[in-house]
């Protein structure tokens, strides 16, 4: 029987297959990046950081303090100038391509700056990218980073290093749609607190002038924090030598597990290459010792069995940036007598929703290693990933 919708679909499939074009490319979603208004969020160099801490000193006095501290001052200035030259280069390149460009940093970036921009471009490394991402709270505005020092910085979240010397080429490809969208999952944190001061943000690299952060929503004692975690959320005692007492509930389970540990790290796929990897990775030395326990004469050479197995294991710790589940790690879980209560929880796993209740003395909830909130006894954190919280980024294929 004649079926018009099916016939049209078959014709469409045939044409796209003939042309070698993916159906996904014909999505109603725009397949280009608008670059009329560009906001550059510039890295804060170590030199600028020191100047911010010592605003009462002139340049000569600051130099004397830094040299007395043992700082390689020439190196400090070299990298400061290196980044500034890169910033000036990207600004001039974008303006020559007809872009309206504004430049801000962590101190003077406002919501109005973000709202007016078509695209956010952090220039620096992964730290600057995380800062820029924290300013964007929806999944509409793209954040696309350039690594200002590819010889010294990995810049995992930025565009491939070759585009640091080919800025024009990258922008042209973005305009022409020669890329793939990557919607990086982010963690939304809802806090249930008993005291209002628990919602005052603490910046881990604080300088006078840091803009205060306000909460998204307020209803009774439930608050959605204004910062979405692109990498990870960590909860635990401030003093690392003190045991963290926490209660953990996964995926809405009625069972709550009481824990003694060194804190809990909850990460996204983006963050699985960061702290999550550092906590869980196996060293070649450890694998070699395990092999020797089963009478295998293991070495730790570059091409040894221990090295190969460690590499395979460590690579499996990484999961996709757009994964909708979170990876959790109970750091240094104490397993003795009655701990944990009840027994059986895995020290590492995945969950769609994670609830953590504090029984701690002086603890913090830390987001992406940059901002923290008090997380003391009785405070509850609900962690989840929602599609509307994703960060819009791109992949540029070679």
């Amino acid at each position: 029987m004649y079926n018009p919708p099916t016939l049209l679909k078959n014709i469409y499939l045939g044409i796209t297959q003939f042309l070698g074009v993916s159906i996904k490319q014909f999505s109603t979603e725009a397949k280009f990046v608008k670059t009329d208004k560009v906001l550059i969020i510039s890295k804060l160099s170590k030199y600028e950081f020191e100047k911010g801490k010592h605003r009462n000193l002139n340049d000569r006095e600051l130099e004397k303090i830094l040299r007395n501290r043992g700082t390689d001052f020439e190196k400090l200035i070299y990298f400061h100038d290196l980044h500034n030259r890169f910033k000036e280069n990207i600004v001039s390149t974008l303006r020559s391509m007809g872009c309206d460009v504004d430049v801000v940093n962590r101190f003077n970036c406002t919501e109005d700056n973000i709202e007016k921009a078509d695209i956010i471009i952090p220039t620096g490394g992964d730290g600057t990218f995380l800062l820029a991402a924290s300013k964007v709270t929806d999944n509409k505005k793209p954040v696309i980073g350039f690594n200002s020092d590819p010889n010294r910085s990995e810049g995992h979240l930025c565009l491939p290093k070759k585009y640091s010397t080919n800025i024009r080429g990258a922008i042209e490809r973005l305009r022409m749609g020669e890329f793939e969208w990557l919607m990086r999952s982010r963690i939304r944190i809802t806090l249930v607190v008993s005291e209002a001061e628990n919602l005052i943000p603490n910046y881990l690299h604080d300088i006078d002038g840091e803009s205060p952060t306000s909460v998204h929503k307020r209803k009774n004692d439930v608050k959605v924090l204004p910062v979405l975690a692109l990498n990870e959320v960590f909860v635990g005692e401030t003093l690392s030598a003190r045991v963290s007492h926490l209660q953990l509930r996964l995926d809405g389970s009625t069972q709550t597990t009481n824990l003694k540990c060194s804190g809990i790290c909850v990460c996204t796929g983006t963050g699985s290459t960061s702290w999550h990897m550092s906590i869980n990775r196996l060293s070649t030395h450890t694998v070699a010792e395990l092999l020797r326990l089963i009478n295998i004469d293991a070495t730790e050479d570059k091409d040894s069995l221990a090295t190969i197995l460690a590499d395979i294991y460590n690579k499996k710790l990484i999961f996709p940036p757009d994964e909708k589940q979170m990876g959790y790690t109970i750091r240094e879980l104490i397993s003795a007598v009655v701990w944990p209560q009840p027994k059986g929880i895995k020290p590492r796993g995945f969950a769609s929703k994670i609830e953590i209740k504090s029984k701690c003395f002086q603890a913090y909830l830390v987001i992406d290693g940059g901002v923290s909130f008090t997380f003391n006894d009785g405070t509850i954190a609900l962690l989840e990933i929602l599609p509307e919280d994703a960060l819009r980024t791109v992949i540029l294929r070679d």
Side-chain angles (χ1 to χ4, degrees):
M1 184 174 69
Y2 175 65
N3 188 336
T6 302
L7 178 62
L8 288 172
K9 181 179 179 181
N10 290 338
I11 293 172
Y12 173 68
L13 288 171
I15 291 173
T16 54
Q17 288 173 3
F18 175 76
L19 295 175
V21 180
S22 168
I23 297 173
K24 188 177 179 180
Q25 288 181 289
F26 288 89
S27 166
T28 55
E29 185 176 46
K31 192 59 170 59
F32 66 92
V33 175
K34 188 179 179 182
T35 59
D36 294 347
K37 293 184 179 295
V38 178
L39 179 66
I40 292 177
I41 298 184
S42 177
K43 171 181 177 173
L44 186 75
S45 72
K46 182 66 183 303
Y47 179 67
E48 290 171 316
F49 178 79
E50 293 293 350
K51 283 181 69 70
K53 285 176 60 180
H54 303 89
R55 292 180 181 175
N56 59 320
L57 303 180
N58 60 39
D59 291 347
R60 182 172 295 181
E61 291 170 333
L62 176 61
E63 179 182 348
K64 182 178 180 180
I65 285 179
L66 295 177
R67 288 188 184 279
N68 288 340
R69 190 194 297 172
T71 299
D72 186 334
F73 189 76
E74 284 72 23
K75 186 176 181 180
L76 194 73
I77 295 298
Y78 171 79
F79 287 117
H80 170 73
D81 292 342
L82 180 72
H83 170 71
N84 278 342
R85 286 194 298 271
F86 183 89
K87 179 177 64 177
E88 291 166 2
N89 182 31
I90 195 169
V91 169
S92 62
T93 300
L94 289 168
R95 286 177 175 162
S96 71
M97 298 178 75
C99 303
D100 181 3
V101 182
D102 285 328
V103 181
V104 296
N105 57 34
R106 64 182 276 186
F107 297 127
N108 58 17
C109 182
T110 65
E111 290 183 7
D112 189 54
N113 293 138
I114 300 294
E115 181 63 30
K116 289 180 179 178
D118 296 318
I119 175 177
I120 312 298
I121 297 183
T123 60
D126 287 343
T128 309
F129 189 98
L130 287 169
L131 169 68
S134 71
K135 305 293 184 180
V136 179
T137 56
D138 60 31
N139 63 2
K140 308 299 182 187
K141 203 175 298 288
V143 178
I144 301 170
F146 282 87
N147 190 341
S148 63
D149 188 7
N151 294 322
R152 196 169 67 110
S153 168
E154 184 63 31
H156 177 76
L157 298 174
C158 301
L159 292 179
K161 294 181 179 182
K162 68 178 183 179
Y163 290 111
S164 295
T165 54
N166 186 18
I167 296 166
R168 180 178 291 271
I171 299 301
E172 287 175 347
R173 292 193 65 184
L174 294 174
R175 286 176 169 179
M176 294 172 64
E178 296 178 358
F179 63 87
E180 297 172 23
W181 289 119
L182 174 58
M183 306 300 289
R184 294 181 180 271
S185 294
R186 293 191 286 184
I187 301 171
R188 177 184 292 196
I189 306 107
T190 303
L191 281 189
V192 180
V193 301
S194 57
E195 299 176 358
E197 54 264 31
N198 287 1
L199 292 171
I200 299 174
N202 301 278
Y203 295 94
L204 273 65
H205 306 286
D206 188 29
I207 304 178
D208 290 340
E210 188 81 76
S211 299
T213 304
S214 58
V215 295
H216 277 174
K217 303 175 183 178
R218 187 181 183 96
K219 184 179 180 182
N220 298 326
D221 60 349
V222 179
K223 288 86 179 175
V224 178
L225 294 186
V227 185
L228 297 165
L230 179 58
N231 264 357
E232 76 278 308
V233 177
F234 178 80
V235 296
E237 288 281 2
T238 307
L239 184 63
S240 59
R242 183 180 288 138
V243 174
S244 297
H245 291 247
L246 299 164
Q247 294 180 339
L248 182 64
R249 201 148 62 99
L250 303 175
D251 290 328
S253 170
T254 57
Q255 177 174 290
T256 299
T257 304
N258 293 282
L259 306 169
K260 281 186 176 182
C261 59
S262 296
I264 298 176
C265 182
V266 181
C267 77
T268 64
T270 297
S272 65
T273 63
S274 186
W275 198 357
H276 169 83
M277 167 73 81
S278 297
I279 293 172
N280 292 294
R281 70 179 299 121
L282 286 179
S283 67
T284 299
H285 177 71
T286 298
V287 176
E289 287 189 328
L290 290 172
L291 290 173
R292 293 181 193 118
L293 289 176
I294 55 174
N295 297 321
I296 294 177
D297 187 17
T299 67
E300 299 175 30
D301 300 332
K302 180 180 178 181
D303 298 320
S304 68
L305 177 60
T307 299
I308 294 171
L309 290 176
D311 187 56
I312 292 172
Y313 178 89
N314 293 333
K315 284 180 178 178
K316 285 185 175 294
L317 295 171
I318 301 171
F319 55 99
D322 55 356
E323 170 62 49
K324 300 303 184 291
Q325 285 198 314
M326 299 166 284
Y328 74 87
T329 301
I330 305 171
R331 194 172 173 217
E332 297 169 349
L333 175 64
I334 294 176
S335 297
V337 193
V338 298
W339 298 99
Q341 306 170 353
K343 298 284 189 181
I345 193 167
K346 294 180 179 179
R348 177 167 64 85
F350 290 89
S352 297
K353 287 187 177 181
I354 297 176
E355 182 183 296
I356 306 172
K357 184 174 182 179
S358 174
K359 306 300 289 182
C360 295
F361 174 71
Q362 190 176 29
Y364 280 99
L365 180 148
V366 185
I367 302 171
D368 285 343
V371 61
S372 67
F373 294 84
T374 302
F375 196 69
N376 290 334
D377 189 17
T379 305
I380 299 172
L382 174 63
L383 281 57
E384 56 190 334
I385 288 177
L386 302 176
E388 59 265 34
D389 293 335
L391 183 72
R392 182 175 293 273
T393 64
V394 301
I395 299 175
L396 286 184
R397 302 290 188 190
D398 292 331

